[in-house]
Each structure stands twice: as structure tokens, then as C-alpha cells.
Amino acid sequence: GYDYMEHLFDYFKDHNVTVGSNSGQVASDTIADFTMTLLIAVARRVFQAAAMLKKGERSPMTQHTVHVTGSVMGIIGMGSIGMSIAKRAHHGFDMKILYHNRKQKSQENEGIVKATYYKNLRDMLPLCDFIVIACDLNDQSKKMLSWEEFASMKNTCILVNIARGAVVDTEAL
């Protein structure tokens, strides 16, 4: 749980230094690719399999893994990065896309990935096999995922947080 970036930004703020931390459109594709890489690696237990192989043990790649194709992804934060992730998930892995955002996207944007909007985050969470956090850190999103939110998720849900650490209540996690 210690978020070095949060304390660094507090330091800059205390010293009247303006810092921009949102990569926005610039790196959306790269971040979306990396997010899907993380999601697949965790779902298919790639890190555990590599560790087993390194020890000379057999790696049962299909044992205790989660199928990505055809599953349900919930995205928290449907800005340019969230949308890039949704495109890869929907078009590449036939995933059903649910999302929570401050504002609902246009029907045109939702239609690109057949996304369903959830104004209430807790209504979306129990439906998801994967949750990707891609929102900004602000007063509304700080510790957005806490005890009640985690309790509402499936026990098998995989969480990928590409946002700032403080969006998740680490103690609750």
C-alpha cells in the first residue's frame, strides 16, 4: 500500500508546482495492450507456470485458470484508455463490456464495443469476471473499491488496476 506518487504529488502541490499526470490519448493503445497482457497473464497463471518450469516442474497451463474469451469485463473509467481496452476485449476476445463512468458515453461510442453503462458501480461489480480500473484519481474515486465493493464481486473475479493505487482501499483488498 504505500503510494509514492501520491506523496510526490502532495509535495509538489505544497510547493506550488503544477504537474500533469494524465497520459490521455498519447499512450492509450500502449496502455491498453499492456492491460490486456496483464489480464491474460493473471487469468492463465503465466507467472506461476513460468516459476514451476524454472524449478523443473511440469506446468499444467489449463489447471485453475480462467477463460478470457467470452467472459464479462467491467471497466471503471471509460475515457480514451478505457475505450481502447474495451475495443481489444470485445473485438479480440468476444468479451461482454460493462462500464462505470462519471458520464455515460454516446450511443455511438457504446455501440462500437456493445458496452452497457452502469451508473451505480455496485450494480455492475457482481456481474464481472474481470474488472479493469482505468479512472483518474480524484476525491470521488479515492478508495472507490473498498469493503462493500469487494464483498459484492465474484470470488473468482480478477482485478487489474492500471489507475493510481489510491483508487483501491488496500486494507479492504
Side-chain angles (χ1 to χ4, degrees):
Y2 185 79
D3 189 341
Y4 292 98
M5 291 301 292
E6 183 175 338
H7 294 287
L8 183 61
F9 283 116
D10 287 343
Y11 176 84
F12 287 144
K13 184 177 174 184
D14 292 343
H15 291 82
N16 296 318
V17 176
T18 303
V19 177
S21 65
N22 189 340
S23 60
Q25 216 53 52
V26 176
S28 295
D29 286 334
T30 301
I31 294 169
D33 291 347
F34 184 67
T35 302
M36 291 305 295
T37 301
L38 288 174
L39 186 143
I40 293 164
V42 172
R44 302 308 290 176
R45 299 177 55 96
V46 171
F47 301 112
Q48 292 89 338
M52 289 176 72
L53 289 170
K54 193 173 183 177
K55 291 183 204 174
E57 300 171 9
R58 284 190 64 211
S59 171
M61 284 297 289
T62 58
Q63 194 173 26
H64 307 294
T65 62
V66 177
H67 292 284
V68 175
T69 300
S71 60
V72 178
M73 176 185 281
I75 301 174
I76 301 172
M78 194 67 133
S80 62
I81 293 170
M83 191 65 175
S84 292
I85 294 165
K87 287 175 184 175
R88 284 154 178 76
H90 176 69
H91 297 294
F93 295 93
D94 197 27
M95 296 175 86
K96 181 177 180 181
I97 305 298
L98 313 179
Y99 76 100
H100 172 76
N101 202 47
R102 282 179 277 180
K103 295 180 183 175
Q104 185 171 1
K105 305 302 274 182
S106 68
Q107 283 186 330
E108 180 182 349
N109 280 335
E110 287 181 345
I112 293 169
V113 293
K114 297 182 182 165
T116 303
Y117 175 68
Y118 283 82
K119 184 174 185 167
N120 185 331
L121 178 60
R122 288 196 201 131
D123 290 340
M124 180 184 83
L125 294 175
L127 307 174
C128 301
D129 300 307
F130 297 91
I131 295 171
V132 174
I133 306 173
C135 63
D136 293 334
L137 178 62
N138 54 47
D139 291 339
Q140 290 77 37
S141 66
K142 191 169 189 174
K143 293 191 178 184
M144 179 188 294
L145 290 181
S146 194
W147 299 98
E148 290 180 15
E149 289 76 20
F150 286 120
S152 72
M153 294 179 195
K154 295 177 184 179
N155 289 337
T156 56
C157 184
I158 293 175
L159 175 69
V160 177
N161 182 10
I162 62 163
R164 299 277 300 282
V167 174
V168 175
D169 181 340
T170 306
E171 186 178 329
L173 177 64

